[in-house]
Amino acid sequence: MSNTYVNAKVDLTTTNITTLYTCAALTTGIVKSIIVSEDSNNADTITLTITDASSAVFSLYKTKAVSANGTVELLTAPLVVQAGEILKVTAATANRLHVVASILEIT
């Protein structure tokens, strides 16, 4: 088994559903942190979902508030992401939010 620390980053420049992280085949991802930063001096909201290997979508956060120029940690405990699962984020407004996830990949 190999352990590798990685991060996944997105600048939400649209209001489209955006992939933050896809767990590779034969890998388990332990998401330690998901930080959301608002950089336009306007409060906004973010939605976070996980899509499983059979394409079922599960809501982790639905319209989580992020204050103007604020930073929010979305996780209070590690989140396990299995092979083929996808973390996706959606901003309510374009060009306001940045998202960074810290992940331990076990292969």
Side-chain angles (χ1 to χ4, degrees), residues 10-29:
V10 292
D11 180 0
L12 297 175
T13 58
T14 71
T15 58
N16 297 334
I17 297 170
T18 304
T19 296
L20 174 62
Y21 172 72
T22 302
C23 192
L26 304 175
T27 302
T28 298

Side-chain angles (χ1 to χ4, degrees), residues 16-65:
N16 297 334
I17 297 170
T18 304
T19 296
L20 174 62
Y21 172 72
T22 302
C23 192
L26 304 175
T27 302
T28 298
I30 310 285
V31 183
K32 301 283 195 168
S33 173
I34 300 175
I35 296 172
V36 182
S37 174
E38 195 291 319
D39 68 350
S40 71
N41 199 29
N42 294 284
D44 208 344
T45 61
I46 190 165
T47 297
L48 172 66
T49 62
I50 187 167
T51 303
D52 70 13
S54 65
S55 298
V57 178
F58 299 88
S59 179
L60 300 174
Y61 277 96
K62 186 71 173 170
T63 60
K64 173 72 172 166

